[in-house]
Amino acid sequence: MTTTFITGANKSLGFETARRLIEAGHTVLLGARHRERGRAAAKALGARFVQIDVTDDASVQAAAADVAAHEGTIDVLVNNAGVLGKVGPVEEYTAADVSAVLDVNVVGIVRVTHAFLPLLRKSANPVIVNVSSGMGSFSMTQDSARIESRYALPLYCASKAAVTMLTTQYAKELKDVKVNAADPGQTATDFTGGLGHSVAYGAESIVTLATIGPDGPTGQFIDRSGNLPW
């Protein structure tokens, strides 16, 4: 039985990923910041809810201790929690705006990964999936044929570029863990105002990386079609 912990899993891509992995036979631990929403989502799916705020060291450590006490190990960690951050004229951005996005999207991954590494290392096939975005790809955001080139989201894009680089560097350092990044593409969520493809379509790359076997890749950035330039 594969045990998977997913952050930000009470809605959208996280919820759909949890649903798909449960369908595939995983035991899913549904991580969410909001207790009531998290419990409701976990009950709807048949998952176990674990409260976690990825911006809070104590909350992350408590979540890892909770999982250590109940499951003792995890096989897959999906770092899905993320925020869009401030949008609008770049002149209006403040240092606090930048810090708020990076704290969730980048530093949050570091917090959660480091807290859960001891549990992952008890697995015979430990896997980390970081949910990144083509919006963090230089190649894709500069290609006029791609939808990523049509938007200017400096804070979000910078954070996702950092997520992909963090992924490749962790893959080099963590020789015993497979670490990859998934691009869901433009998915119809609250981030996009309902524009884009379905969450079922968007979750495919995340599910693919969460279900790789012992011979699976590491240090890769993929969407549902395969490896991506960045």
Side-chain angles (χ1 to χ4, degrees), residues 4-183:
T4 299
F5 186 89
I6 308 172
T7 65
N10 63 290
K11 63 178 182 177
S12 302
L13 283 165
F15 184 88
E16 176 63 14
T17 298
R19 186 191 70 78
R20 292 275 294 278
L21 292 177
I22 290 169
E23 194 174 71
H26 287 217
T27 295
V28 169
L29 308 177
L30 188 150
R33 181 179 59 178
H34 193 284
R35 291 183 184 276
E36 290 183 7
R37 294 172 190 164
R39 288 193 181 105
K43 183 178 180 180
L45 291 173
R48 187 171 83 80
F49 169 65
V50 179
Q51 195 276 335
I52 185 169
D53 179 347
V54 303
T55 68
D56 185 282
D57 289 337
S59 175
V60 172
Q61 291 296 330
D66 179 292
V67 175
H70 287 86
E71 286 77 24
T73 183
I74 61 169
D75 302 288
V76 181
L77 171 63
V78 179
N79 285 309
N80 169 72
V83 295
L84 181 62
K86 186 178 179 67
V87 298
V90 70
E91 296 89 349
E92 296 179 4
Y93 297 165
T94 66
D97 294 328
V98 179
S99 294
V101 174
L102 296 178
D103 199 23
V104 178
N105 294 1
V106 184
V107 183
I109 288 178
V110 174
R111 284 191 187 95
V112 175
T113 298
H114 287 214
F116 280 83
L117 263 176
L119 297 174
L120 279 165
R121 284 179 161 147
K122 294 180 181 181
S123 170
N125 181 37
V127 170
I128 296 173
V129 182
N130 295 327
V131 179
S132 191
S133 171
M135 292 298 293
S137 162
F138 180 86
S139 175
M140 295 162 71
T141 56
Q142 299 300 312
D143 182 350
S144 61
R146 295 198 61 107
I147 196 168
E148 289 86 357
S149 69
R150 303 176 195 172
Y151 300 97
L153 298 167
L155 305 189
Y156 181 76
C157 291
S159 75
K160 290 304 184 178
V163 169
T164 306
M165 179 58 80
L166 192 70
T167 299
T168 63
Q169 295 302 305
Y170 270 42
K172 290 181 180 181
E173 290 288 316
L174 302 176
K175 304 294 187 183
D176 54 336
V177 183
K178 294 178 182 65
V179 190
N180 295 290
D183 173 24

